[in-house]
Amino acid sequence: MAVAANASRLRKTKQSRLRRQELFQCQMRLRPEVVQKEETMSSVSRSLHSDELAYLTAHELAARIRRRDLSPVDVVDAFIRRIEARNPSLNALVYLDFDGARARAKEAERALVAGESWGPLHGIPSALKDLFDFKPGWPASLGGIRALKHHVVNGYCVFCERMEKRGGAVFLGKTNSPLMGFRGTCDNYLFGPTRNPFNLAKNTGGSSGGSAAAVADGLLPIAEGTDAGGSIRIPSAWCGVYGYKASFGRVPFLVRPNAFGVADSPFLFEGPITRTVEDAAIALNVSPALIREIPSA
């Protein structure tokens, strides 16, 4: 009898202790400072998630999206948060279209649920260089020319069109470049310099310095560059990323005939800036000219 009484007393004591703990936790949740702390911890958690995605390759991100381990919406939101946190110190991206990117990410998610695939870069964030590189409705200052601050080209450059339509990429904005791309450093009067993510006192090199900085710092897994005298190769070397200057004609380059002396000469090239050779190969597989078979005689 004594053993049974002791067991009953212990059980009641434990139940009473649990009730007090539950009451205390409930009171703590109602306190404003505790609610504020929980919100802060939640934001830190989101930031960590963003950092985890930041340095995944485009190939790995695309594979996870195809497996539905990641949503295109979540991926784009994560990179937007990282851009908002990191870009103010780098000045790598000079035009941002987050609303447009989120809308396209939602379309990418709906397509994924329906069993559709837009291509090997389905839902992957990317960016264009602000030079001779266009997307409908986006400004094109041609490297920070102040007179062209509000200049808009309502057409696609070939790289952007094929990365979107063949590859399935989601463009978040445009990256910094020197005026007309005519410098080996990245700086201009409209947007200022782009800073090297490894040392903010240093420059990224040019002219595709904004793209190289964005990829190096995990703001994007892949971005566009152009090259005539080292404009992909110089900033890629300075920022420790992989830039590929494809052979002339590999990625079609279309501008107004005889514009700036480059349209009719084999000295201007478009190509990807990434962190891996594999990602560059994926971009080059979706952006080249269409190959037509020569009919047999």
Side-chain angles (χ1 to χ4, degrees):
M1 294 293 293
V3 172
N6 287 336
S8 176
R9 186 166 56 253
L10 289 172
R11 186 165 56 252
K12 290 178 180 178
T13 301
K14 184 177 181 180
Q15 291 172 347
S16 177
R17 185 169 62 251
L18 289 173
R19 282 196 296 269
R20 288 197 302 272
Q21 289 176 347
E22 289 172 357
L23 178 61
F24 175 76
Q25 290 170 357
C26 181
Q27 291 172 339
M28 290 294 287
R29 281 195 295 270
L30 294 174
R31 289 168 56 188
E33 63 270 24
V34 175
V35 172
Q36 178 64 37
K37 183 178 180 181
E38 288 179 352
E39 290 178 350
T40 304
M41 292 300 293
S42 177
S43 64
V44 169
S45 176
R46 287 196 299 269
S47 177
L48 289 173
H49 183 57
S50 176
D51 291 343
E52 289 168 4
L53 294 183
Y55 289 103
L56 290 180
T57 65
H59 173 73
E60 176 62 21
L61 280 170
R64 294 191 184 187
I65 288 173
R66 284 193 298 272
R67 294 195 303 264
R68 302 191 187 182
D69 296 337
L70 291 173
S71 157
V73 174
D74 291 340
V75 170
V76 167
D77 280 341
F79 279 95
I80 286 175
R81 287 195 299 272
R82 187 166 176 88
I83 289 170
E84 289 174 336
R86 305 284 296 174
N87 192 60
S89 63
L90 295 177
N91 195 35
L93 287 99
V94 294
Y95 173 76
L96 301 169
D97 183 13
F98 291 162
D99 290 341
R102 286 188 169 111
R104 180 165 170 82
K106 290 177 181 177
E107 292 175 6
E109 186 169 276
R110 285 193 292 268
L112 198 67
V113 171
E116 301 172 8
S117 175
W118 287 354
L121 296 171
H122 189 123
I124 301 303
S126 187
L128 283 178
K129 179 180 177 181
D130 183 35
L131 196 58
F132 312 115
D133 316 279
F134 314 120
K135 179 176 165 63
W138 283 15
S141 74
L142 276 63
I145 298 174
R146 284 181 288 193
L148 298 180
K149 180 178 181 179
H150 302 295
H151 175 234
V152 173
V153 176
N154 285 310
Y156 275 105
C157 70
V158 175
F159 184 92
C160 178
E161 183 176 32
R162 293 183 178 173
M163 285 283 284
E164 277 195 347
K165 296 182 180 180
R166 289 185 188 176
V170 178
F171 282 90
L172 274 64
K174 300 191 80 173
T175 59
N176 204 17
S177 171
L179 274 72
M180 305 295 291
F182 287 155
R183 291 179 66 185
T185 53
C186 192
D187 192 3
N188 58 63
Y189 293 114
L190 181 58
F191 300 116
T194 296
R195 300 172 184 85
N196 197 302
F198 294 99
N199 184 340
L200 296 180
K202 306 293 184 181
N203 199 269
T204 55
S207 64
S208 306
S211 291
V215 172
D217 202 47
L219 308 189
L220 298 161
I222 184 169
E224 183 223 18
T226 59
D227 194 312
S231 290
I232 288 176
R233 294 161 287 169
I234 292 169
S236 296
W238 288 18
C239 294
V241 292
Y242 182 78
Y244 187 74
K245 181 184 82 73
S247 301
F248 179 69
R250 170 72 179 181
V251 180
F253 182 77
L254 304 174
V255 295
R256 182 172 58 83
N258 297 316
F260 314 114
V262 297
D264 56 353
S265 62
F267 298 116
L268 190 60
F269 309 82
E270 286 183 286
I273 294 178
T274 65
R275 289 188 296 273
T276 67
V277 174
E278 183 177 37
D279 283 356
I282 293 171
L284 286 174
N285 280 334
V286 300
S287 58
L290 290 171
I291 298 173
R292 294 183 175 88
E293 292 186 2
I294 300 174
S296 59

